[in-house]
Amino acid sequence: MTETTSTEDIAAFLARHGLKCAPEQRLLDITSELGEVSKEVLKASNYGRSRPDITADLEEEIGDLLFAVHALAIECGLDPEKSLLAALQKYQARADLKGDIGSGR
């Protein structure tokens, strides 16, 4: 793999290793990975008592979560990079218009 990974790299990896599955299964994977990230943040922050230290375990779990989210987008026929850019543009437009990115104001 290269230093940067593209959507095509992830799609090829999924296909090469027989990891294609239904979006519903990907959501379960995302939920599991998010739980792992939560666990690592809790451990790294002494269960909320301090700002979390960035650990190798936390970095690994965030990578797993990002992989799972990218895989979901790919399974749904979406380009995760395009979706992320659209979200960033949406948040920037809200910040420019309202001064914050929240959708509830």
Side-chain angles (χ1 to χ4, degrees), residues 29-45 47 52-69:
D29 192 30
I30 288 169
T31 302
S32 174
E33 295 300 345
L34 182 57
E36 293 293 324
V37 169
S38 299
K39 179 179 83 174
E40 290 304 323
V41 168
L42 283 173
K43 286 177 14 185
S45 68
Y47 291 84
D53 293 325
I54 305 305
T55 65
D57 290 339
L58 177 58
E59 184 174 16
E60 180 180 341
E61 294 302 341
I62 288 175
D64 292 348
L65 177 60
L66 290 170
F67 176 83
V69 170

Side-chain angles (χ1 to χ4, degrees), residues 4 16 23 28 32 35-36 53 63-65 70 81 89 97 103:
T4 60
R16 185 171 55 251
L28 289 173
S32 174
E36 293 293 324
D53 293 325
D64 292 348
L65 177 60
H70 273 73
E81 294 169 22
Q89 291 170 339
L97 183 65
S103 63

